[in-house]
Amino acid sequence: MRIGIIVGSQSSTSINRQVAKALIGLAPEGVEMAEIAWNELPIYTPDYDADYPAAGREWKSAIEASDAIIIVSPEYSRSIPGGLKNALDWAARPWGTNSFNGKPVAILGASGGAIGTAAMQQHLRAILGHFNAITMGQPETFLQITPSSFGANGEVADEALGTILEGYLAAVVAHVERFAQVNA
Ligand SMILES: Cc1cc2nc3c(=O)[nH]c(=O)nc-3n(C[C@H](O)[C@H](O)[C@H](O)COP(=O)(O)O)c2cc1C
């Protein structure tokens, strides 16, 4: 099973990227996980549709080649970061080639606060519904990250966080397998 991870932050100190790396480190047997980057994408405009640039084509191909996608993102101004929204618009176009159509997707978000990313996650669910993605409903997961969550090499230092991430990954794998059975 190949799972692509999309990180909603471009911050060089992103806690959401730390979570993404921790997930990759915790990949269950038989599951291959890697980040799909969107930082090369310019601001989308339909002017690109007639001759989609390489960055857009590669971004779409990487999503389409994945059995599932995990989006791990911060909340910006009670919604998803603008850069992530731009990347999702690139994936949805040109019209009729939506890369998320029928794709199992799971959402995750990390912040320093207790309820951080809850509003972002609801907005992201609405976008993914429009894309006809198969979005995992539960477990909804709002990660509160503190300076002691990760060790010096990015390893998960907080045992409770490790347990949550392992349980989350098990739920994602079950979600993908359930979806595969429905379509068998
Ligand atoms: C432009 C901006 C808007 C933000 N808005 C919110 C918000 O609405 N809710 C929230 O919980 N945190 C908000 N934050 C704080 C982020 O949750 C925090 O910076 C987090 O560490 C960003 O994730 P990252 O480290 O993965 O980049 C905002 C941060 C920025 C830079």
Side-chain angles (χ1 to χ4, degrees), residues 8-34:
S9 172
Q10 291 299 336
S11 165
S12 59
T13 58
S14 170
I15 55 174
N16 283 276
R17 181 159 287 98
Q18 276 187 295
V19 170
K21 286 181 176 165
L23 285 173
I24 291 169
L26 293 170
E29 201 169 328
V31 177
E32 201 181 286
M33 291 201 289

Side-chain angles (χ1 to χ4, degrees), residues 1 5 42 52 56 60 81 121 124 132 144 157 162-163 172-173 181 184:
M1 185 184 293
I5 304 191
Y52 233 48
K60 287 174 69 69
Q121 294 198 25
L124 188 50
N132 196 37
Q144 187 172 14
T163 304
V172 173
V173 169
Q181 276 176 12

Side-chain angles (χ1 to χ4, degrees), residues 7-18 72-79 110-113 115-119:
V7 180
S9 172
Q10 291 299 336
S11 165
S12 59
T13 58
S14 170
I15 55 174
N16 283 276
R17 181 159 287 98
Q18 276 187 295
V72 51
S73 176
E75 178 173 296
Y76 272 11
S77 309
R78 294 285 179 261
S79 187
S111 76
I115 63 137
T117 81

